[in-house]
């Protein structure tokens, strides 16, 4: 997974909010050229808004378009009983693994976080990657227990607590996967790499793979000047715009994809599409980012 950015495709909807399978197929096919893995029906793909039939279609289409060229890791979540239902659907659809999103709503003790993964793992043959974010944050002790669960192969981290993360990586068995799942992960990619976590997810890849791949290449090649330029002139302003409104971490990504003519449609409630003013600012920012890497709208 460290050989390319980790791609989290958007889910296409019609203007009335219904799922658009043809639009999604065309969109996801264009996202498969360079990533290290593709993660359909996760946070950026609005997993929380999909019913089970839509979820099945999203995963199936991704598997068909990937055609074995790269791993397909489908999202699952809610409580373990519902997560196991989605896991079964993903397994039937041909996914290679599952990303276990934080459980729904309630805070939970460490024993409960471990039990959640144990229950899901016992009900699927697919490998699991646990996503610690929000109300899910593993201690080193609970992590050791999680890493011993058959089928649990990795952790995606969205807390950006590098002290905690370093403790987890040092406690991990050989071959255990870690990757940076912070919002707009490129901002912290260098910091994560210092604690042994070079792989990261990229929401920018969902609308501007040219920018995402250029940043990845600059980081890999040690081109600090290019990394700094992309961070200063594109990624940091994008984060500042993203932080204005709850849900913009997905809404802005979808809006940017629409600006490039991609058939992704609007977001579903409870998310909202960007305001006219924010969309104008996004358009300027996207043009700037593309110019930096020799591309255009």
């Amino acid at each position: 997974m460290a050989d390319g950015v980790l791609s989290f495709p958007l889910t296409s909807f019609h203007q009335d909010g219904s799922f658009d399978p043809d639009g999604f197929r065309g969109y996801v096919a264009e996202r498969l050229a360079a990533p290290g893995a593709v993660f359909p029906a996760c946070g950026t793909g609005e997993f929380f808004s999909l019913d089970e039939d839509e979820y099945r279609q999203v995963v199936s289409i991704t598997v068909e378009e990937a055609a074995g060229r790269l791993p397909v890791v489908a999202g699952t979540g809610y409580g373990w009983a519902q997560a196991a239902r989605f896991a079964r659907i993903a397994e039937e659809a041909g996914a290679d693994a599952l990303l276990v999103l934080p459980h729904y709503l309630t805070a939970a003790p460490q024993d409960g976080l471990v039990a959640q993964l144990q229950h899901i793992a016992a009900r699927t043959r697919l490998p699991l990657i646990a996503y610690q974010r929000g109300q899910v944050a593993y201690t080193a002790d609970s992590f050791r227990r999680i890493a011993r669960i058959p089928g649990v192969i990795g952790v995606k981290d969205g807390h950006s607590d590098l002290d905690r993360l370093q403790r987890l990586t040092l406690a991990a068995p050989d071959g255990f996967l870690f990757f940076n799942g912070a919002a707009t992960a490129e901002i912290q990619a260098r910091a994560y790499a210092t604690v042994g976590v070079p792989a990261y997810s990229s929401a920018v890849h969902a609308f501007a793979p040219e920018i995402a791949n250029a940043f990845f290449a600059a980081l890999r090649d040690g081109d600090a000047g290019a990394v700094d330029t992309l961070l200063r002139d594109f990624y940091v302003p994008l984060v500042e715009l993203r932080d204005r409104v709850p849900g913009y971490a997905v809404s802005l990504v979808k809006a940017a994809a629409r600006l490039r003519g991609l058939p992704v449609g609007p977001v579903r409630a409870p998310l909202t599409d960007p305001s006219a003013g924010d969309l104008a600012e996004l358009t300027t920012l996207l043009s700037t980012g593309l110019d930096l890497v020799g591309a255009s709208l």
Side-chain angles (χ1 to χ4, degrees):
M1 289 190 181
D3 292 337
V5 296
L6 305 179
S7 178
F8 286 68
L10 299 158
T11 299
S12 299
F13 299 124
H14 294 293
Q15 286 302 312
D16 65 1
S18 60
F19 176 57
D20 178 6
D22 293 334
F24 179 71
R25 184 179 295 277
Y27 166 76
V28 77
E30 293 187 10
R31 305 270 76 76
L32 301 178
V38 61
F39 290 69
C42 293
T44 305
E46 297 178 78
F47 167 77
F48 49 85
S49 294
L50 301 177
D51 66 28
E52 291 183 7
D53 181 63
E54 292 166 338
Y55 175 86
R56 183 185 301 275
Q57 292 183 73
V58 166
V59 179
S60 295
I61 289 170
T62 306
V63 170
E64 291 166 7
E65 293 300 321
R69 289 175 290 165
L70 72 170
V72 175
V73 185
T76 190
Y78 305 114
W80 65 258
Q82 188 63 44
R85 289 174 63 90
F86 281 102
R88 184 164 55 253
I89 293 169
E91 190 173 323
E92 293 168 353
D96 298 296
L98 295 164
L99 177 66
V100 181
L101 303 172
H103 63 272
Y104 173 70
L105 189 60
T106 187
Q110 292 293 310
D111 285 349
L113 298 180
V114 175
Q116 165 87 340
L117 288 174
Q118 288 172 329
H119 280 295
I120 299 170
R123 290 163 173 81
T124 181
R125 293 176 295 179
L126 295 179
L128 305 181
I129 297 171
Y131 191 0
Q132 63 165 10
R133 184 171 180 171
Q135 69 270 38
V136 177
Y138 303 118
T139 64
D141 178 65
S142 63
F143 169 77
R144 292 185 186 95
R145 296 163 62 195
I146 287 166
R148 291 195 295 267
I149 299 172
V152 175
I153 64 169
V155 165
K156 177 184 179 183
D157 176 73
H159 285 294
S160 304
D161 182 340
L162 297 184
D163 178 279
R164 177 190 292 264
L165 184 59
Q166 182 71 90
R167 295 169 191 265
L168 301 191
T169 61
L170 292 172
D174 290 344
F176 199 83
L177 301 174
F178 287 93
F179 64 94
N180 166 8
T184 316
E186 286 91 342
I187 291 286
Q188 300 187 58
R190 284 190 292 201
Y192 271 81
T194 65
V195 295
V197 183
Y200 62 88
S201 58
S202 176
V204 170
H205 189 272
F207 63 88
E210 305 97 323
I211 299 173
N213 291 333
F215 182 90
F216 178 87
L219 188 65
R220 178 197 61 204
D221 297 341
D223 188 345
V227 169
D228 287 345
T229 297
L230 284 167
L231 288 174
R232 181 179 55 248
D233 296 341
F234 175 74
Y235 282 100
V236 169
L238 179 65
V239 167
E240 291 172 349
L241 181 57
R242 180 202 71 199
D243 288 347
R244 288 182 189 171
V245 178
Y248 265 17
V250 176
S251 301
L252 285 178
V253 173
K254 258 200 166 172
R258 291 194 301 272
L259 288 172
R260 305 202 73 194
L262 296 169
V264 297
V267 292
R268 275 182 175 173
L271 302 181
T272 58
D273 289 313
S275 67
D278 289 344
L279 184 60
E281 190 170 335
L282 176 64
T283 303
T284 300
L285 179 57
L286 179 55
S287 295
T288 296
L290 291 169
D291 285 344
L292 289 172
V293 298
S296 63
L297 279 173

